[in-house]
Amino acid sequence: MTIATDQNRALIEAGTDAVPLDPAELRKARSAQIERIGRWVLPVVILVLSVILWDRICVWNEIPHYIVPRPGLVLDALIQDWPILSQALLNTLRITFGALMIATFGGLALAILFTQSKWIEISFFPFAVILQVTPIVAIAPLIFIYVDSVEAGLLICAWIVAFFPVLSNTTLGLNSADHNLRNLFQMYGATRWQTLRYLRLPAAMPYFLGGLRIAGGLSLIGAIVAEFVAGSAGSGSGLANQILEAGYRLNIPRMFAALILISVTGILIFLTMNLVSHLLLRKWHESALKQES
Amino acid sequence: MTVTAFETGPGASASGPAIVSLNRISKTFSNGTVALKEMSLDIREGEFLTLLGPSGCGKSTVLRIITSLTGPTTGRIDWPLESASQEEHELSFVFQEPTLMPWATVFGNVWLPLRLKGISKKAAHDRVMEALEMVGLEAFSDSYPRELSGGMKMRVSIARALVTKPKVLLMDEPFAALDEITRFKLNNDLLQLWETFGWTVVFVTHSVFESVYLSNRIVVMAARPGRVVNDMPVDAPYPRGEEFRTSGVYADYCRTVSQALHAAMDANDHL
């Protein structure tokens, strides 16, 4: 038995490089190439220009360095205070990733639990929503009263902020497995575990990764906010503490340096999550596929 | 109107004893819709039976009841040829959509029914490849569904149904979403496989032409409530090919079946 029509269609699409392109297609190809380069070059140029503008504004207006430091001064602070700042960065990272881990596995486990029974979901989902909509700055002081260890308090705060997107996205994903596929699993007598393992979890993957992408940024925000609330009561070790402390001493360049470190960390977390998501989905999911034609 | 129970269709062709027997099956949904009313039907071993009817006549519900995805409200289904000890019926289902797992390769999709029975990838390998060969896709075992055309996806779906070596193949408008050329091709391939392996096929369609081309027995159903209104044989020899599709016999059957279908639909207008 042959499969002429279908197979040929696929083959034809694969090899048509012999025919030269017409001008319109050439133009299209060229503009695509320009766009590829511009996508990287443009943001970098804008960034550099704004740093130069920042520097010029400071000079032209004779703004004193204890109000707005020039970029060079911030860089100096970043280098000179690196021993202190790097230690603070490590501490903040530890809280961020600790919270992200707990949020990821906790959110995933709760989502699986929720989808096992509608009643569990109906009963407990409101609690998740309450935790999510109550601002963390409002809850944090209480947490630091009840929890002795500052580190545990920080983790709890960051976790509360980060777990909801994982939970809600994964719950949605687990429930969105194709209806016919579910029937198929049922027809072949699949156990609950098999359905979860082979159908619901893979179907939830894109949703879960979407939640993770949000949770990555939120766990950093949660960690920083919690550090602010813990303030001087804490061991004074994270980047937020550095900002507070430098603020008390009017060491504005160090405040900027710490701020930059926080931003860069956030960006790196975002890029890492994007990469992980791309690697896991590139073979099959629409979001990770290059548009053809 | 009262519904006639067809013990044996008027034109029982050269098929064997009943393999699935529906006895006065009714199905009422929780919203009050009567999907099926007292439907009786003997599906005989080895026949290619088509359920033809307008939408809403309960064709798909019949299939779902045969697979035990839904139970009938009243009535009984028997599998006369099976021993009482048999736990699962040897049947497979092909949906209207290919219904493939997009995250799994073609191999992974066809492996699924065996995997759910606890058969490892290695142990399943030969059977999966055999099923893929039957539909001509053995070269695509590592491809992902998105890389395939609509017709190829449907072939994968059919391979998945065949990998368990079923006795009964239930197909719910499997080719309805395909273009006509691909559909003809798949019709021919399906017939060829059926002639080779001799399963019992229950094929649901709303295409008169497809039903005549494929089957040796056509059961015409009417809607509201879903019921059998006609049960007619198609006594044309297999293998059937393009000659049959362009023959006068084919055209005659199409006319007869078409009239039966219209009668079934008119019956509703007078209700």
Side-chain angles (χ1 to χ4, degrees):
Chain A
M1 169 172 158
T2 56
I3 47 158
T5 45
D6 311 337
Q7 202 169 332
N8 283 353
R9 207 178 298 149
L11 288 176
I12 288 165
E13 279 166 13
T16 44
D17 43 5
V19 188
L21 292 172
D22 57 278
E25 283 297 318
L26 269 177
R27 247 195 325 276
K28 215 194 252 177
R30 212 174 303 129
S31 72
Q33 199 177 358
I34 290 169
E35 198 189 311
R36 253 200 313 279
I37 299 167
R39 204 176 278 271
W40 286 100
V41 171
L42 222 55
V44 172
V45 168
I46 297 291
L47 194 68
V48 170
L49 280 180
S50 30
V51 171
I52 291 173
L53 189 68
W54 166 11
D55 188 61
R56 286 302 94 195
I57 287 175
C58 288
V59 173
W60 291 331
N61 298 313
E62 293 173 356
I63 300 173
H65 67 82
Y66 50 84
I67 294 181
V68 181
R70 289 171 60 184
L73 219 52
V74 175
L75 190 67
D76 280 347
L78 199 56
I79 294 166
Q80 273 165 21
D81 298 342
W82 182 247
I84 308 168
L85 287 176
S86 63
Q87 189 54 47
L89 176 65
L90 276 181
N91 287 334
T92 301
L93 282 181
R94 214 179 49 240
I95 299 297
T96 303
F97 284 112
L100 184 59
M101 286 290 233
I102 306 172
T104 305
F105 291 107
L108 187 63
L110 273 179
I112 290 172
L113 190 70
F114 279 9
T115 46
Q116 292 312 300
S117 150
K118 201 163 216 80
W119 295 114
I120 298 179
E121 185 180 348
I122 290 170
S123 312
F124 291 103
F125 202 75
F127 282 98
V129 175
I130 290 169
L131 275 182
Q132 166 69 12
V133 297
T134 315
I136 187 66
V137 255
I139 316 176
L142 279 175
I143 291 174
F144 284 109
I145 291 173
Y146 298 136
V147 182
D148 283 336
S149 148
V150 176
E151 180 138 348
L154 293 175
L155 266 181
I156 291 171
C157 289
W159 171 77
I160 287 176
V161 179
F163 94 102
F164 187 78
V166 179
L167 172 67
S168 69
N169 268 29
T170 312
T171 306
L172 179 66
L174 288 170
N175 284 330
S176 63
D178 182 80
H179 188 72
N180 281 337
L181 272 173
R182 276 194 240 179
N183 279 341
L184 190 81
F185 272 68
Q186 194 186 336
M187 235 181 277
Y188 284 120
T191 61
R192 193 176 268 248
W193 164 247
Q194 283 176 323
T195 311
L196 181 69
R197 168 82 183 74
Y198 300 135
L199 176 62
R200 282 172 173 253
L201 281 178
M205 192 60 131
Y207 297 82
F208 167 71
L209 290 169
L212 203 58
R213 211 183 292 186
I214 304 170
L218 283 182
S219 56
L220 179 65
I221 292 174
I224 298 288
V225 169
E227 277 179 29
F228 267 110
V229 176
S232 45
S235 45
S237 52
L239 280 174
N241 298 99
Q242 286 305 319
I243 290 182
L244 279 177
E245 232 178 83
Y248 298 144
R249 297 177 190 174
L250 281 184
N251 188 347
I252 311 296
R254 195 192 279 181
M255 286 177 86
F256 270 85
L259 193 58
I260 287 171
L261 281 181
I262 292 173
S263 295
V264 170
T265 307
I267 292 168
L268 287 181
I269 290 175
F270 178 78
L271 290 178
T272 311
M273 291 302 171
N274 266 4
L275 183 71
V276 168
S277 173
H278 178 78
L279 288 179
L280 286 171
L281 299 181
R282 68 188 158 157
K283 290 224 170 110
W284 65 275
H285 198 255
E286 288 293 338
S287 67
L289 300 177
K290 280 214 182 79
Q291 250 335 283
E292 276 165 26
S293 84
Chain B
M1 112 177 213
T2 51
V3 176
T4 329
F6 290 89
E7 289 306 312
T8 47
S13 34
S15 303
I19 189 168
V20 184
S21 180
L22 308 181
N23 298 308
R24 300 166 70 87
I25 296 279
S26 296
K27 177 73 185 177
T28 310
F29 289 123
S30 55
N31 63 9
T33 314
V34 183
L36 291 172
K37 194 176 173 200
E38 303 234 328
M39 173 171 171
S40 293
L41 181 68
D42 277 348
I43 298 162
R44 289 184 290 271
E45 194 179 23
E47 75 183 343
F48 199 123
L49 183 148
T50 293
L51 294 176
L52 178 73
S55 39
C57 72
K59 303 175 299 239
S60 299
T61 309
V62 174
L63 291 196
R64 288 175 67 86
I65 288 175
I66 296 175
T67 60
S68 328
L69 273 177
T70 352
T73 310
T74 57
R76 225 177 62 236
I77 316 171
D78 292 317
W79 295 71
L81 298 184
E82 288 183 356
S83 60
S85 61
Q86 195 162 337
E87 276 180 24
E88 277 176 40
H89 309 302
E90 293 166 75
L91 56 82
S92 282
F93 198 99
V94 178
F95 295 91
Q96 181 173 355
E97 282 88 37
T99 315
L100 303 176
M101 301 179 290
W103 53 84
T105 59
V106 166
F107 185 98
N109 271 290
V110 178
W111 173 32
L112 179 74
L114 302 178
R115 191 182 200 185
L116 293 176
K117 289 190 166 60
I119 299 172
S120 73
K121 190 170 186 176
K122 216 169 164 188
H125 181 271
D126 289 351
R127 284 172 69 182
V128 172
M129 290 315 286
E130 195 185 325
L132 282 175
E133 249 166 68
M134 282 159 79
V135 298
L137 284 182
E138 65 275 18
F140 291 86
S141 63
D142 292 330
S143 303
Y144 284 84
R146 65 169 178 91
E147 298 165 324
L148 307 179
S149 68
M152 289 160 92
K153 283 183 201 158
M154 208 61 230
R155 287 168 188 279
V156 178
S157 187
I158 293 171
R160 179 180 59 196
L162 299 182
V163 79
T164 52
K165 303 206 159 91
K167 289 213 170 91
V168 179
L169 188 60
L170 306 169
M171 306 182 93
D172 190 3
E173 301 187 35
F175 309 139
L178 301 176
D179 64 87
E180 186 138 312
I181 296 169
T182 311
R183 186 202 274 231
F184 280 1
K185 185 83 183 70
L186 279 165
N187 280 168
N188 288 336
D189 292 346
L190 176 66
L191 272 189
Q192 209 177 326
L193 286 169
W194 172 71
E195 283 165 52
T196 312
F197 295 95
W199 331 287
T200 308
V201 179
V202 182
F203 192 97
V204 165
T205 184
H206 47 233
S207 159
V208 169
F209 307 107
E210 194 171 49
S211 70
V212 172
Y213 185 68
L214 290 174
S215 43
N216 52 18
R217 180 178 169 201
I218 297 175
V219 171
V220 181
M221 295 179 68
R224 284 177 294 272
R227 63 203 188 274
V228 174
V229 291
N230 217 323
D231 188 342
M232 49 182 82
V234 180
D235 285 324
Y238 295 94
R240 295 174 182 172
E242 284 315 303
E243 291 126 69
F244 177 61
R245 209 190 277 282
T246 48
S247 70
V249 183
Y250 176 73
D252 288 342
Y253 271 117
C254 286
R255 191 180 311 117
T256 316
V257 173
S258 196
Q259 279 160 0
L261 184 61
H262 277 110
M265 289 161 79
D266 286 344
N268 271 344
D269 294 338
H270 302 306
L271 280 179

